[in-house]
């Protein structure tokens, strides 16, 4: 069980919200203000068909997550998703706005699903 302080960290916050979209619990446009242009377009494509919702409809959860800070204002993160007897992986990049200091998702991808993301 994650303690409350860790749950407030941007990577966990985004992992939970991305999971809500990729399981169909929330519509993709729910992430519009929290996702940058190309990443939002890619999220729309990969969310089609609710790829993280298991066939048995057991609701997946964020089991584990981690982060790497390659430079100030950037977080490379992953989340391991468990549910329905399967373990899935999600990777995403967060970038902090230079003026408003808000974190936004700049890239997102899933384990073995559509791996063609936005161009770097």
């Amino acid at each position: 069980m994650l303690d409350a302080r860790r749950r407030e960290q941007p990577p966990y916050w985004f992992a939970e919200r991305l999971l809500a979209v990729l399981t169909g619990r929330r519509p993709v446009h729910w992430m519009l203000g929290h996702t940058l242009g190309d990443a939002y377009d890619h999220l729309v494509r990969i969310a089609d068909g609710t790829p993280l919702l298991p066939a048995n409809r057991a609701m997946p959860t964020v089991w584990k997550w981690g982060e790497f800070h390659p430079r100030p204002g950037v977080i490379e993160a992953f989340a391991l998703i468990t549910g329905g007897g399967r373990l899935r992986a999600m990777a995403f990049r967060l970038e902090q706005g230079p003026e408003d200091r808000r974190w936004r998702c700049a890239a997102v991808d899933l384990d073995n699903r559509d791996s063609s993301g936005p161009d770097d």
Side-chain angles (χ1 to χ4, degrees):
M1 181 82 174
L2 294 173
D3 67 39
R5 237 178 70 237
R6 284 193 40 97
R7 286 182 180 271
E8 293 173 5
Q9 297 299 311
Y12 184 81
W13 191 91
F14 274 90
E16 282 288 322
R17 277 139 186 85
L18 290 167
L19 179 60
V21 168
L22 296 171
T23 57
R25 286 183 287 154
R26 293 288 187 162
V28 177
H29 69 265
W30 188 57
M31 290 295 294
L32 192 56
H34 305 290
T35 312
L36 300 176
D38 287 343
Y40 180 78
D41 294 341
H42 187 63
L43 182 59
V44 168
R45 286 193 304 276
I46 65 174
D48 187 38
T50 58
L52 291 182
L53 184 62
N56 67 2
R57 302 285 185 199
M59 199 48 66
T61 60
V62 174
W63 174 63
K64 189 175 190 178
W65 62 274
E67 61 189 276
F68 171 70
H69 298 257
R71 66 178 184 270
V74 175
I75 299 172
E76 299 282 345
F78 74 89
L80 297 178
I81 310 299
T82 185
R86 295 200 58 203
L87 182 65
R88 301 286 305 271
M90 175 172 52
F92 51 99
R93 177 184 178 94
L94 304 177
E95 295 180 2
Q96 196 171 35
E99 294 174 19
D100 65 7
R101 309 302 294 161
R102 287 184 50 211
W103 290 100
R104 291 180 180 85
C105 183
V108 61
D109 215 346
L110 297 177
D111 46 26
N112 60 353
R113 301 292 176 165
D114 177 44
S115 60
S116 59
D119 295 331
D120 291 342

